[in-house]
Amino acid sequence: MKLIDGKELANQLKEGLRQKTDKLAAEGKRRPHLAAILVGNNPASESYVRNKVRSCEQAGFESTLIRRPADVSESELLAIIDELNNNPAIDGYIVQLPLPDHIHEQKLLLAIHPDKDVDGFHPMNFGKMAQGMDAFLPATPYGILLMLEHYGIETSGKEVVVIGRSNIVGTPMSILLSRKSNPGNATVTLVHSRTKNLKAHTLNADIIIAAIGIPYFLKADMVKDGAVIIDVGINRVEDATRKRGYRLVGDVDFEGLARKVSFMTPVPGGVGPMTVLGLLMNTMKAYLGR
Ligand code: GUN
């Protein structure tokens, strides 16, 4: 089994961005600027946003973190979004999800100007993506496409199974891999919690993308020899031997699959860093498009 090292690839691509942004700065131009809105203190969201800020530094981007407490009003968040939409110093921004229950998530995401929607969550970008038009691709699927490309994993004509139908990973991933493009041209099956005999589908897959949010969901008896496994899961499981009391595991039984598959992403160090890289690439695109 060959490890798909997302961390190493993300670092390599961040270095490329760094060279571009340093050149811009040397020419007296401003650097790309990403902002993030973080509501409350969900530990996973805190960690993701920290990674995003650190990655901006590595790539030579400016970053701004806007924090509000969990009881912030929807109107205050909409006012922040309006300010960011109109702020010429900001190229793109994200609203870190999930949001507290009293905030209408869709209403906020619709208020983000599509030209600054570097998460690719606005229906304008999602619709353009689905039709193969130029758009900000959702960061996780974008990062996965870059990994498949870099590792020379052929998708054309292959059987791909995507597990999970979320708006931010499973659904866009299934669309992107079935599009007439490269990577793409795959025969894609999207399986989910109501799928009957899920194992019959995964056993037939050349490439499996697991994005279901259940630790160790995909087991060795569910995959065929030589399959390619992309593990999107980032699940916290209790672990008393760790100082922080938990460890991160994917949606895949990594140890069990290791002897059977051809390529696999680890957790951590696989898809996670490439998601952040996708976000940086989108921010660069937003910067260049203005
Ligand atoms: N929460 C989990 N993943 C993501 C992501 O890619 N973007 C945002 N904004 N929130 C998330």
Side-chain angles (χ1 to χ4, degrees), residues 178-215:
S178 55
R179 275 190 344 190
K180 194 169 188 169
S181 67
N182 185 28
N185 287 319
T187 305
V188 181
T189 305
L190 180 60
V191 301
H192 47 74
S193 55
R194 302 290 173 91
T195 298
K196 289 188 178 139
N197 203 358
L198 187 141
K199 188 173 161 181
H201 294 285
T202 54
L203 272 174
N204 189 42
D206 302 306
I207 301 171
I208 300 176
I209 298 174
I212 193 170
I214 301 175

Side-chain angles (χ1 to χ4, degrees), residues 37 44-45 48-49 52 93-98 109 119 121 138-141 168-169 275-276 279:
I37 304 174
S45 293
Y48 296 152
V49 168
K52 289 169 186 175
Y93 65 97
I94 64 158
V95 178
Q96 185 64 36
L97 304 178
L109 297 182
D119 255 335
F121 292 172
T140 301
I168 67 178
V169 184
T275 291
V276 182
L279 181 65

Side-chain angles (χ1 to χ4, degrees), residues 100-164:
D101 288 344
H102 70 283
I103 306 287
H104 199 286
E105 184 178 300
Q106 241 172 31
K107 195 167 169 186
L108 251 59
L109 297 182
L110 279 170
I112 298 173
H113 193 290
D115 292 348
K116 294 196 175 187
D117 169 40
V118 285
D119 255 335
F121 292 172
H122 192 286
M124 179 68 87
N125 281 311
F126 195 98
K128 285 183 171 177
M129 177 275 296
Q131 295 194 8
M133 296 166 70
D134 184 49
F136 294 119
L137 303 183
T140 301
Y142 187 10
I144 292 171
L145 292 182
L146 291 170
M147 284 199 287
L148 293 172
E149 203 171 19
H150 179 83
Y151 279 83
I153 295 165
E154 180 64 75
T155 57
S156 181
K158 301 292 180 186
E159 296 287 337
V160 173
V161 167
V162 178
I163 311 175

